[in-house]
Amino acid sequence: LEQEASKKTHPDYNIKAIAILDSIIKINNRSNAYKLALERKESISTKSINIQLQKYSYSNENTRALIRYKNTDSLKISFYKINQKQLKQFNNSYNEKNNLTDSITKNTQPIITKNYPLENRNDYFEYSTEVLLPNLKTGSYLVCFESESDTKDKKAFAFETITISNISVLGSQNE
């Protein structure tokens, strides 16, 4: 059912697949079917967010972020001011990004935090929307996106850097 689920032709197949998987899990006999059912249910019901935003913007300019999300009711966006050294670390070291993000979010207060409600139709499909980000002053920022959750493990999390300047950027070597 999950492979044939479609927003247009079979919008209820994911819901039916979850119901079938729940009935298998309810038996709780620790068989291969039980383990596969747990795995499939987790893959269908996991939360996810994917972000696209303009990396360079003017001071106090209205900027939007494209959000692709699944199984998420709301999104919290936090902006952390970062210096040029930290920005360079983000741009140069792919492996260190998570550690650097953890360090910044634990040790500094966000400049701005804003919550956005998202439409969750509870059908386990991915949807997209655009949100208007708050106007920011000149500088570089770490932008953290996180979904709501009861537990830290079940939270969807994404981050990106953004630079606000009074100089127009036509292109960069990284793009």
Side-chain angles (χ1 to χ4, degrees):
L1 286 175
E2 177 194 358
Q3 283 92 12
E4 295 180 20
S6 162
K7 289 182 196 174
K8 292 182 181 169
T9 56
H10 302 291
D12 60 336
Y13 275 22
N14 277 337
I15 296 168
K16 289 179 180 177
I18 291 287
I20 292 169
L21 293 169
D22 281 340
S23 68
I24 294 168
I25 293 168
K26 191 190 271 184
I27 296 170
N28 195 8
N29 64 359
R30 303 284 184 212
S31 66
N32 283 341
Y34 171 83
K35 291 174 184 169
L36 285 171
L38 280 174
E39 200 174 285
R40 298 302 285 171
K41 182 178 179 183
E42 180 68 24
S43 76
I44 294 171
S45 61
T46 192
K47 294 178 185 226
S48 69
I49 52 175
N50 186 329
I51 309 300
Q52 285 183 322
L53 62 98
Q54 191 175 326
K55 296 215 28 111
Y56 303 99
S57 183
Y58 289 115
S59 183
N60 292 317
E61 177 185 22
N62 289 333
T63 308
R64 293 183 303 234
L66 174 63
I67 317 280
R68 286 190 187 83
Y69 64 95
K70 180 179 159 190
N71 303 328
T72 303
D73 294 322
S74 67
L75 187 66
K76 181 172 118 180
I77 304 178
S78 302
F79 296 84
Y80 297 87
K81 188 111 166 138
I82 58 175
N83 59 38
Q84 290 300 311
K85 181 181 173 189
Q86 291 168 318
L87 180 63
K88 190 173 183 179
Q89 287 175 310
F90 269 105
N91 292 335
N92 292 340
S93 176
Y94 182 78
N95 297 333
E96 294 296 317
K97 284 184 179 183
N98 287 336
N99 294 338
L100 192 56
T101 300
D102 286 343
S103 170
I104 291 170
T105 56
K106 287 178 182 167
N107 298 327
T108 56
Q109 288 288 91
I111 304 295
I112 300 171
T113 298
K114 194 159 184 189
N115 291 308
Y116 296 90
L118 300 174
E119 182 181 355
N120 185 2
R121 298 183 185 155
N122 296 316
D123 59 4
Y124 308 101
F125 286 112
E126 183 176 89
Y127 292 94
S128 64
T129 188
E130 283 188 339
V131 295
L132 185 63
L133 300 176
N135 294 343
L136 299 168
K137 303 268 185 246
T138 303
S140 297
Y141 297 89
L142 171 66
V143 188
C144 294
F145 302 83
E146 58 185 308
S147 68
E148 82 297 333
S149 179
D150 306 346
T151 61
K152 191 175 188 339
D153 298 340
K154 300 286 185 187
K155 213 179 254 194
F157 185 82
F159 57 87
E160 189 61 71
T161 58
I162 185 171
T163 299
I164 307 299
S165 173
N166 53 6
I167 299 172
S168 177
V169 177
L170 299 176
S172 75
Q173 288 182 333
N174 296 341
E175 294 175 359

